[in-house]
Amino acid sequence: MDFGALIVASARSQLGVPFSLGGGGIKGPSVGVNAANTTSVVGFDSTGLAQYAVFQATGWAIGRTADAQWADAQCQHVPVEQAKAGDLLFRFDAGVVGKLSEVGVISDFPHRRMITVTAETKKVLEVAISAEGVASEVARCSP
């Protein structure tokens, strides 16, 4: 079974769902707040989307925050050059050295694409992977 493809399919099934800070988890979109922290919104943030996709594909409940997902013992760290579809790609916060701030599900590594949601994208999208702030390893959270 190709768990990477299943993780991608689970993330892709949520394309268009709104950004919601603190939203989402293993069961799908949930209530969080908008980027301005002024209105309740049902949706995902990037870590909630990653947690959902991994759980739906594998049954593994990984951590909820970027730091917890990075450190999750169920996930194997692999050099980013060896990344493949379904791996989790992490970005560092530009304002805080060493602080993970965003995660995306790699959907097509040869073409440098990932599925994520941020305050900037406003909804779950498949986007180009930018090299800026990317961790040197990805997390492979599949059997």
Side-chain angles (χ1 to χ4, degrees):
M1 187 171 292
D2 185 350
F3 286 101
L6 293 173
I7 291 169
V8 171
S10 294
R12 199 170 267 144
S13 75
Q14 300 302 306
L15 290 173
V17 172
F19 171 77
S20 179
L21 183 61
I26 62 173
K27 295 181 180 179
S30 66
V31 176
V33 295
N34 67 355
N37 201 18
T38 58
T39 307
S40 294
V41 177
V42 173
F44 286 105
D45 62 16
S46 68
T47 57
L49 177 64
Q51 188 185 49
Y52 170 81
V54 170
F55 182 79
Q56 294 303 307
T58 68
W60 291 0
I62 62 171
R64 177 62 182 83
T65 66
D67 290 326
Q69 289 175 356
W70 177 259
D72 198 297
Q74 299 174 100
C75 304
Q76 172 189 2
H77 286 203
V78 177
V80 72
E81 298 81 19
Q82 297 172 22
K84 64 181 188 177
D87 289 346
L88 304 183
L89 180 78
F90 294 84
R91 291 192 181 285
F92 288 99
D93 186 321
V96 182
V97 175
K99 170 76 172 130
L100 294 170
S101 64
E102 178 189 335
V103 62
V105 174
I106 296 174
S107 55
D108 183 351
F109 192 70
H111 296 104
R112 306 202 45 84
R113 308 281 299 166
M114 72 176 184
I115 300 167
T116 193
V117 59
T118 66
E120 291 77 32
T121 66
K122 300 191 180 357
K123 59 185 175 183
V124 178
L125 293 175
E126 190 163 3
V127 299
I129 296 171
S130 162
E132 185 176 327
V134 171
S136 61
E137 296 180 322
V138 297
R140 187 161 294 154
C141 304
S142 59

mmCIF file of all heavy atoms in Angstrom, residues 34-76:
data_model
loop_
_atom_site.group_PDB
_atom_site.id
_atom_site.type_symbol
_atom_site.label_atom_id
_atom_site.label_comp_id
_atom_site.label_asym_id
_atom_site.label_seq_id
_atom_site.Cartn_x
_atom_site.Cartn_y
_atom_site.Cartn_z
ATOM 1 N N ASN A 34 -9.995 33.332 12.406
ATOM 2 C CA ASN A 34 -9.406 33.839 11.180
ATOM 3 C C ASN A 34 -8.018 34.430 11.464
ATOM 4 O O ASN A 34 -7.594 34.523 12.613
ATOM 5 C CB ASN A 34 -10.335 34.856 10.508
ATOM 6 C CG ASN A 34 -10.512 36.128 11.307
ATOM 7 O OD1 ASN A 34 -10.033 36.273 12.425
ATOM 8 N ND2 ASN A 34 -11.226 37.071 10.734
ATOM 9 N N ALA A 35 -7.315 34.828 10.423
ATOM 10 C CA ALA A 35 -5.946 35.327 10.559
ATOM 11 C C ALA A 35 -5.864 36.574 11.437
ATOM 12 O O ALA A 35 -4.863 36.795 12.111
ATOM 13 C CB ALA A 35 -5.351 35.604 9.180
ATOM 14 N N ALA A 36 -6.901 37.375 11.439
ATOM 15 C CA ALA A 36 -6.915 38.586 12.258
ATOM 16 C C ALA A 36 -7.334 38.314 13.699
ATOM 17 O O ALA A 36 -7.350 39.224 14.523
ATOM 18 C CB ALA A 36 -7.850 39.619 11.635
ATOM 19 N N ASN A 37 -7.685 37.043 13.994
ATOM 20 C CA ASN A 37 -8.103 36.639 15.334
ATOM 21 C C ASN A 37 -9.355 37.387 15.786
ATOM 22 O O ASN A 37 -9.489 37.745 16.949
ATOM 23 C CB ASN A 37 -6.957 36.826 16.341
ATOM 24 C CG ASN A 37 -7.152 35.973 17.580
ATOM 25 O OD1 ASN A 37 -7.920 35.022 17.582
ATOM 26 N ND2 ASN A 37 -6.462 36.321 18.634
ATOM 27 N N THR A 38 -10.265 37.618 14.827
ATOM 28 C CA THR A 38 -11.474 38.376 15.152
ATOM 29 C C THR A 38 -12.767 37.594 14.956
ATOM 30 O O THR A 38 -13.801 37.990 15.493
ATOM 31 C CB THR A 38 -11.567 39.646 14.278
ATOM 32 O OG1 THR A 38 -11.551 39.265 12.900
ATOM 33 C CG2 THR A 38 -10.420 40.591 14.577
ATOM 34 N N THR A 39 -12.736 36.515 14.200
ATOM 35 C CA THR A 39 -13.951 35.775 13.855
ATOM 36 C C THR A 39 -13.697 34.281 13.919
ATOM 37 O O THR A 39 -12.660 33.800 13.466
ATOM 38 C CB THR A 39 -14.393 36.129 12.417
ATOM 39 O OG1 THR A 39 -14.495 37.535 12.289
ATOM 40 C CG2 THR A 39 -15.724 35.498 12.079
ATOM 41 N N SER A 40 -14.650 33.532 14.451
ATOM 42 C CA SER A 40 -14.558 32.069 14.447
ATOM 43 C C SER A 40 -14.776 31.550 13.032
ATOM 44 O O SER A 40 -15.657 32.030 12.320
ATOM 45 C CB SER A 40 -15.601 31.462 15.374
ATOM 46 O OG SER A 40 -15.330 31.812 16.709
ATOM 47 N N VAL A 41 -13.952 30.569 12.645
ATOM 48 C CA VAL A 41 -14.031 29.984 11.306
ATOM 49 C C VAL A 41 -13.829 28.480 11.435
ATOM 50 O O VAL A 41 -12.962 28.026 12.187
ATOM 51 C CB VAL A 41 -12.918 30.555 10.391
ATOM 52 C CG1 VAL A 41 -12.936 29.898 9.024
ATOM 53 C CG2 VAL A 41 -13.028 32.059 10.264
ATOM 54 N N VAL A 42 -14.614 27.703 10.699
ATOM 55 C CA VAL A 42 -14.407 26.256 10.624
ATOM 56 C C VAL A 42 -13.436 25.995 9.485
ATOM 57 O O VAL A 42 -13.666 26.421 8.344
ATOM 58 C CB VAL A 42 -15.729 25.505 10.407
ATOM 59 C CG1 VAL A 42 -15.473 24.022 10.173
ATOM 60 C CG2 VAL A 42 -16.659 25.705 11.593
ATOM 61 N N GLY A 43 -12.330 25.335 9.787
ATOM 62 C CA GLY A 43 -11.333 25.043 8.768
ATOM 63 C C GLY A 43 -10.120 24.370 9.356
ATOM 64 O O GLY A 43 -10.216 23.651 10.358
ATOM 65 N N PHE A 44 -8.971 24.629 8.739
ATOM 66 C CA PHE A 44 -7.694 24.046 9.144
ATOM 67 C C PHE A 44 -6.632 25.117 9.270
ATOM 68 O O PHE A 44 -6.660 26.118 8.547
ATOM 69 C CB PHE A 44 -7.170 23.091 8.052
ATOM 70 C CG PHE A 44 -7.852 21.778 7.934
ATOM 71 C CD1 PHE A 44 -8.725 21.533 6.890
ATOM 72 C CD2 PHE A 44 -7.596 20.748 8.830
ATOM 73 C CE1 PHE A 44 -9.336 20.304 6.733
ATOM 74 C CE2 PHE A 44 -8.202 19.513 8.690
ATOM 75 C CZ PHE A 44 -9.081 19.284 7.641
ATOM 76 N N ASP A 45 -5.652 24.867 10.137
ATOM 77 C CA ASP A 45 -4.360 25.518 9.986
ATOM 78 C C ASP A 45 -3.430 24.443 9.416
ATOM 79 O O ASP A 45 -3.846 23.293 9.200
ATOM 80 C CB ASP A 45 -3.854 26.164 11.280
ATOM 81 C CG ASP A 45 -3.612 25.197 12.428
ATOM 82 O OD1 ASP A 45 -3.530 23.972 12.205
ATOM 83 O OD2 ASP A 45 -3.501 25.673 13.572
ATOM 84 N N SER A 46 -2.187 24.785 9.138
ATOM 85 C CA SER A 46 -1.321 23.833 8.422
ATOM 86 C C SER A 46 -1.068 22.557 9.213
ATOM 87 O O SER A 46 -1.032 21.461 8.638
ATOM 88 C CB SER A 46 0.000 24.500 8.034
ATOM 89 O OG SER A 46 0.797 24.806 9.161
ATOM 90 N N THR A 47 -0.940 22.655 10.521
ATOM 91 C CA THR A 47 -0.666 21.456 11.310
ATOM 92 C C THR A 47 -1.915 20.599 11.478
ATOM 93 O O THR A 47 -1.834 19.378 11.524
ATOM 94 C CB THR A 47 -0.059 21.807 12.677
ATOM 95 O OG1 THR A 47 -0.954 22.686 13.385
ATOM 96 C CG2 THR A 47 1.295 22.481 12.520
ATOM 97 N N GLY A 48 -3.073 21.240 11.563
ATOM 98 C CA GLY A 48 -4.320 20.483 11.621
ATOM 99 C C GLY A 48 -4.557 19.702 10.337
ATOM 100 O O GLY A 48 -5.009 18.555 10.365
ATOM 101 N N LEU A 49 -4.223 20.311 9.192
ATOM 102 C CA LEU A 49 -4.359 19.624 7.909
ATOM 103 C C LEU A 49 -3.405 18.437 7.828
ATOM 104 O O LEU A 49 -3.798 17.342 7.413
ATOM 105 C CB LEU A 49 -4.089 20.592 6.756
ATOM 106 C CG LEU A 49 -4.136 19.979 5.356
ATOM 107 C CD1 LEU A 49 -5.533 19.464 5.023
ATOM 108 C CD2 LEU A 49 -3.660 20.998 4.328
ATOM 109 N N ALA A 50 -2.156 18.627 8.247
ATOM 110 C CA ALA A 50 -1.177 17.526 8.223
ATOM 111 C C ALA A 50 -1.630 16.394 9.147
ATOM 112 O O ALA A 50 -1.555 15.216 8.780
ATOM 113 C CB ALA A 50 0.204 18.031 8.621
ATOM 114 N N GLN A 51 -2.102 16.745 10.333
ATOM 115 C CA GLN A 51 -2.573 15.728 11.278
ATOM 116 C C GLN A 51 -3.741 14.948 10.680
ATOM 117 O O GLN A 51 -3.786 13.714 10.773
ATOM 118 C CB GLN A 51 -2.977 16.399 12.596
ATOM 119 C CG GLN A 51 -3.300 15.413 13.689
ATOM 120 C CD GLN A 51 -3.811 16.089 14.950
ATOM 121 O OE1 GLN A 51 -4.706 16.928 14.876
ATOM 122 N NE2 GLN A 51 -3.252 15.728 16.087
ATOM 123 N N TYR A 52 -4.664 15.647 10.058
ATOM 124 C CA TYR A 52 -5.817 15.005 9.419
ATOM 125 C C TYR A 52 -5.356 14.042 8.317
ATOM 126 O O TYR A 52 -5.794 12.889 8.268
ATOM 127 C CB TYR A 52 -6.747 16.074 8.834
ATOM 128 C CG TYR A 52 -7.828 15.500 7.953
ATOM 129 C CD1 TYR A 52 -8.979 14.947 8.504
ATOM 130 C CD2 TYR A 52 -7.691 15.496 6.567
ATOM 131 C CE1 TYR A 52 -9.973 14.411 7.693
ATOM 132 C CE2 TYR A 52 -8.673 14.962 5.749
ATOM 133 C CZ TYR A 52 -9.803 14.419 6.312
ATOM 134 O OH TYR A 52 -10.782 13.882 5.517
ATOM 135 N N ALA A 53 -4.512 14.514 7.421
ATOM 136 C CA ALA A 53 -4.097 13.705 6.272
ATOM 137 C C ALA A 53 -3.372 12.441 6.710
ATOM 138 O O ALA A 53 -3.636 11.352 6.191
ATOM 139 C CB ALA A 53 -3.214 14.541 5.341
ATOM 140 N N VAL A 54 -2.463 12.566 7.681
ATOM 141 C CA VAL A 54 -1.727 11.394 8.162
ATOM 142 C C VAL A 54 -2.678 10.414 8.838
ATOM 143 O O VAL A 54 -2.622 9.203 8.592
ATOM 144 C CB VAL A 54 -0.573 11.808 9.101
ATOM 145 C CG1 VAL A 54 0.031 10.595 9.805
ATOM 146 C CG2 VAL A 54 0.501 12.563 8.324
ATOM 147 N N PHE A 55 -3.574 10.910 9.673
ATOM 148 C CA PHE A 55 -4.497 10.012 10.379
ATOM 149 C C PHE A 55 -5.428 9.284 9.414
ATOM 150 O O PHE A 55 -5.660 8.074 9.542
ATOM 151 C CB PHE A 55 -5.321 10.776 11.420
ATOM 152 C CG PHE A 55 -6.237 9.881 12.204
ATOM 153 C CD1 PHE A 55 -5.748 9.115 13.249
ATOM 154 C CD2 PHE A 55 -7.577 9.780 11.876
ATOM 155 C CE1 PHE A 55 -6.589 8.261 13.966
ATOM 156 C CE2 PHE A 55 -8.427 8.931 12.584
ATOM 157 C CZ PHE A 55 -7.920 8.166 13.629
ATOM 158 N N GLN A 56 -5.987 10.014 8.456
ATOM 159 C CA GLN A 56 -6.914 9.395 7.511
ATOM 160 C C GLN A 56 -6.239 8.299 6.698
ATOM 161 O O GLN A 56 -6.862 7.285 6.366
ATOM 162 C CB GLN A 56 -7.522 10.450 6.581
ATOM 163 C CG GLN A 56 -8.417 11.444 7.285
ATOM 164 C CD GLN A 56 -9.563 10.784 8.030
ATOM 165 O OE1 GLN A 56 -10.314 9.993 7.480
ATOM 166 N NE2 GLN A 56 -9.711 11.109 9.306
ATOM 167 N N ALA A 57 -4.968 8.477 6.377
ATOM 168 C CA ALA A 57 -4.245 7.519 5.534
ATOM 169 C C ALA A 57 -3.663 6.347 6.312
ATOM 170 O O ALA A 57 -3.581 5.235 5.792
ATOM 171 C CB ALA A 57 -3.128 8.236 4.784
ATOM 172 N N THR A 58 -3.250 6.599 7.555
ATOM 173 C CA THR A 58 -2.485 5.588 8.295
ATOM 174 C C THR A 58 -3.124 5.141 9.597
ATOM 175 O O THR A 58 -2.738 4.108 10.149
ATOM 176 C CB THR A 58 -1.083 6.116 8.650
ATOM 177 O OG1 THR A 58 -1.214 7.178 9.609
ATOM 178 C CG2 THR A 58 -0.330 6.605 7.421
ATOM 179 N N GLY A 59 -4.036 5.964 10.154
ATOM 180 C CA GLY A 59 -4.572 5.694 11.480
ATOM 181 C C GLY A 59 -3.668 6.185 12.593
ATOM 182 O O GLY A 59 -3.977 6.014 13.766
ATOM 183 N N TRP A 60 -2.561 6.826 12.230
ATOM 184 C CA TRP A 60 -1.632 7.361 13.228
ATOM 185 C C TRP A 60 -2.037 8.770 13.622
ATOM 186 O O TRP A 60 -2.160 9.647 12.765
ATOM 187 C CB TRP A 60 -0.213 7.421 12.684
ATOM 188 C CG TRP A 60 0.444 6.105 12.448
ATOM 189 C CD1 TRP A 60 -0.071 4.861 12.659
ATOM 190 C CD2 TRP A 60 1.756 5.901 11.930
ATOM 191 N NE1 TRP A 60 0.825 3.904 12.313
ATOM 192 C CE2 TRP A 60 1.969 4.506 11.868
ATOM 193 C CE3 TRP A 60 2.767 6.744 11.515
ATOM 194 C CZ2 TRP A 60 3.148 3.952 11.408
ATOM 195 C CZ3 TRP A 60 3.941 6.192 11.060
ATOM 196 C CH2 TRP A 60 4.140 4.811 11.012
ATOM 197 N N ALA A 61 -2.219 9.007 14.912
ATOM 198 C CA ALA A 61 -2.523 10.342 15.426
ATOM 199 C C ALA A 61 -1.198 11.001 15.801
ATOM 200 O O ALA A 61 -0.666 10.764 16.882
ATOM 201 C CB ALA A 61 -3.458 10.262 16.621
ATOM 202 N N ILE A 62 -0.670 11.821 14.887
ATOM 203 C CA ILE A 62 0.581 12.534 15.176
ATOM 204 C C ILE A 62 0.267 13.791 15.968
ATOM 205 O O ILE A 62 -0.891 14.165 16.130
ATOM 206 C CB ILE A 62 1.360 12.861 13.876
ATOM 207 C CG1 ILE A 62 0.549 13.789 12.961
ATOM 208 C CG2 ILE A 62 1.763 11.579 13.157
ATOM 209 C CD1 ILE A 62 1.342 14.323 11.759
ATOM 210 N N GLY A 63 1.293 14.475 16.464
ATOM 211 C CA GLY A 63 1.123 15.675 17.267
ATOM 212 C C GLY A 63 0.315 16.753 16.570
ATOM 213 O O GLY A 63 0.114 16.728 15.359
ATOM 214 N N ARG A 64 -0.141 17.737 17.325
ATOM 215 C CA ARG A 64 -1.006 18.789 16.785
ATOM 216 C C ARG A 64 -0.242 20.030 16.332
ATOM 217 O O ARG A 64 -0.641 20.716 15.412
ATOM 218 C CB ARG A 64 -2.058 19.177 17.838
ATOM 219 C CG ARG A 64 -2.985 20.304 17.441
ATOM 220 C CD ARG A 64 -3.819 19.939 16.208
ATOM 221 N NE ARG A 64 -4.677 21.012 15.770
ATOM 222 C CZ ARG A 64 -4.315 22.025 15.011
ATOM 223 N NH1 ARG A 64 -3.068 22.151 14.589
ATOM 224 N NH2 ARG A 64 -5.182 22.950 14.652
ATOM 225 N N THR A 65 0.881 20.337 16.971
ATOM 226 C CA THR A 65 1.654 21.523 16.603
ATOM 227 C C THR A 65 2.814 21.132 15.694
ATOM 228 O O THR A 65 3.184 19.953 15.613
ATOM 229 C CB THR A 65 2.227 22.212 17.853
ATOM 230 O OG1 THR A 65 3.188 21.325 18.461
ATOM 231 C CG2 THR A 65 1.127 22.574 18.854
ATOM 232 N N ALA A 66 3.408 22.113 15.027
ATOM 233 C CA ALA A 66 4.561 21.832 14.158
ATOM 234 C C ALA A 66 5.686 21.194 14.956
ATOM 235 O O ALA A 66 6.297 20.219 14.510
ATOM 236 C CB ALA A 66 5.032 23.115 13.470
ATOM 237 N N ASP A 67 5.968 21.713 16.140
ATOM 238 C CA ASP A 67 7.040 21.146 16.972
ATOM 239 C C ASP A 67 6.723 19.705 17.364
ATOM 240 O O ASP A 67 7.589 18.837 17.331
ATOM 241 C CB ASP A 67 7.262 21.994 18.226
ATOM 242 C CG ASP A 67 7.890 23.344 17.910
ATOM 243 O OD1 ASP A 67 8.708 23.428 16.971
ATOM 244 O OD2 ASP A 67 7.557 24.321 18.608
ATOM 245 N N ALA A 68 5.466 19.439 17.726
ATOM 246 C CA ALA A 68 5.078 18.079 18.129
ATOM 247 C C ALA A 68 5.119 17.128 16.937
ATOM 248 O O ALA A 68 5.524 15.965 17.078
ATOM 249 C CB ALA A 68 3.683 18.095 18.754
ATOM 250 N N GLN A 69 4.730 17.594 15.772
ATOM 251 C CA GLN A 69 4.789 16.745 14.582
ATOM 252 C C GLN A 69 6.237 16.442 14.209
ATOM 253 O O GLN A 69 6.567 15.317 13.846
ATOM 254 C CB GLN A 69 4.032 17.401 13.420
ATOM 255 C CG GLN A 69 2.545 17.390 13.650
ATOM 256 C CD GLN A 69 1.761 18.131 12.599
ATOM 257 O OE1 GLN A 69 2.306 18.744 11.688
ATOM 258 N NE2 GLN A 69 0.443 18.094 12.724
ATOM 259 N N TRP A 70 7.092 17.439 14.303
ATOM 260 C CA TRP A 70 8.513 17.255 14.007
ATOM 261 C C TRP A 70 9.130 16.216 14.941
ATOM 262 O O TRP A 70 9.920 15.380 14.522
ATOM 263 C CB TRP A 70 9.242 18.594 14.140
ATOM 264 C CG TRP A 70 10.711 18.518 13.929
ATOM 265 C CD1 TRP A 70 11.683 18.508 14.890
ATOM 266 C CD2 TRP A 70 11.396 18.425 12.672
ATOM 267 N NE1 TRP A 70 12.922 18.423 14.308
ATOM 268 C CE2 TRP A 70 12.771 18.370 12.951
ATOM 269 C CE3 TRP A 70 10.971 18.388 11.354
ATOM 270 C CZ2 TRP A 70 13.733 18.284 11.946
ATOM 271 C CZ3 TRP A 70 11.930 18.302 10.358
ATOM 272 C CH2 TRP A 70 13.286 18.250 10.666
ATOM 273 N N ALA A 71 8.724 16.245 16.203
ATOM 274 C CA ALA A 71 9.317 15.370 17.219
ATOM 275 C C ALA A 71 8.589 14.034 17.370
ATOM 276 O O ALA A 71 9.044 13.183 18.138
ATOM 277 C CB ALA A 71 9.329 16.103 18.564
ATOM 278 N N ASP A 72 7.495 13.829 16.655
ATOM 279 C CA ASP A 72 6.681 12.629 16.839
ATOM 280 C C ASP A 72 7.489 11.369 16.541
ATOM 281 O O ASP A 72 8.069 11.224 15.463
ATOM 282 C CB ASP A 72 5.442 12.680 15.941
ATOM 283 C CG ASP A 72 4.369 11.718 16.393
ATOM 284 O OD1 ASP A 72 4.624 10.493 16.380
ATOM 285 O OD2 ASP A 72 3.279 12.181 16.769
ATOM 286 N N ALA A 73 7.513 10.448 17.488
ATOM 287 C CA ALA A 73 8.304 9.220 17.364
ATOM 288 C C ALA A 73 7.807 8.299 16.251
ATOM 289 O O ALA A 73 8.548 7.421 15.800
ATOM 290 C CB ALA A 73 8.319 8.475 18.698
ATOM 291 N N GLN A 74 6.569 8.475 15.808
ATOM 292 C CA GLN A 74 6.039 7.653 14.721
ATOM 293 C C GLN A 74 6.604 8.065 13.358
ATOM 294 O O GLN A 74 6.463 7.326 12.382
ATOM 295 C CB GLN A 74 4.507 7.769 14.670
ATOM 296 C CG GLN A 74 3.833 7.284 15.930
ATOM 297 C CD GLN A 74 2.348 7.554 15.882
ATOM 298 O OE1 GLN A 74 1.574 6.656 15.587
ATOM 299 N NE2 GLN A 74 1.950 8.779 16.161
ATOM 300 N N CYS A 75 7.195 9.249 13.305
ATOM 301 C CA CYS A 75 7.688 9.806 12.048
ATOM 302 C C CYS A 75 9.201 9.688 11.961
ATOM 303 O O CYS A 75 9.902 9.949 12.926
ATOM 304 C CB CYS A 75 7.277 11.265 11.916
ATOM 305 S SG CYS A 75 5.502 11.537 12.057
ATOM 306 N N GLN A 76 9.672 9.314 10.800
ATOM 307 C CA GLN A 76 11.103 9.172 10.538
ATOM 308 C C GLN A 76 11.598 10.423 9.822
ATOM 309 O O GLN A 76 10.973 10.894 8.873
ATOM 310 C CB GLN A 76 11.317 7.940 9.650
ATOM 311 C CG GLN A 76 12.714 7.764 9.151
ATOM 312 C CD GLN A 76 12.789 6.648 8.103
ATOM 313 O OE1 GLN A 76 11.796 6.044 7.725
ATOM 314 N NE2 GLN A 76 13.989 6.401 7.634
#
